[in-house]
Amino acid sequence: MKHISKIDINGIPFYVRDYSRLDEAVLRKGVESNNYQISDSLQGLVVVDIGAFIGGISILCAKRGATVYCAEPSK
């Protein structure tokens, strides 16, 4: 069975696969460094995240008040 670990990035809990260093790296690049320059408040906005991977940016946008729709075509 594959294991999941909980990490905290900027006060937001995320769950990552223990066997994939990519998960944490992608989250840290997108969320911790605010690589996409996401505003502090997205209240009342709708965000569509196509290619959401493990949902880091989707979760960040939702935490900042947006209604979020996301999809990831890969398993």
Side-chain angles (χ1 to χ4, degrees):
M1 183 161 123
K2 296 178 179 167
H3 297 281
I4 305 291
S5 293
K6 182 179 177 182
I7 61 171
D8 185 273
I9 301 175
N10 294 352
I12 303 170
F14 291 95
Y15 295 89
V16 296
R17 300 169 289 184
D18 288 339
Y19 58 91
S20 174
R21 292 182 184 223
L22 180 63
D23 290 358
E24 185 170 353
V26 167
L27 288 170
R28 291 207 181 276
K29 184 176 182 182
V31 177
E32 189 172 64
S33 67
N34 197 13
N35 195 49
Y36 297 103
Q37 301 177 349
I38 297 168
S39 298
D40 289 338
S41 176
L42 300 175
Q43 202 65 37
L45 296 177
V46 174
V47 172
V48 179
D49 186 359
I50 304 300
F53 187 53
I54 58 174
I57 299 303
S58 299
I59 292 169
L60 178 63
C61 290
K63 286 284 192 181
R64 294 185 177 182
T67 298
V68 179
Y69 299 94
C70 60
E72 173 54 56
S74 298
K75 287 185 176 181

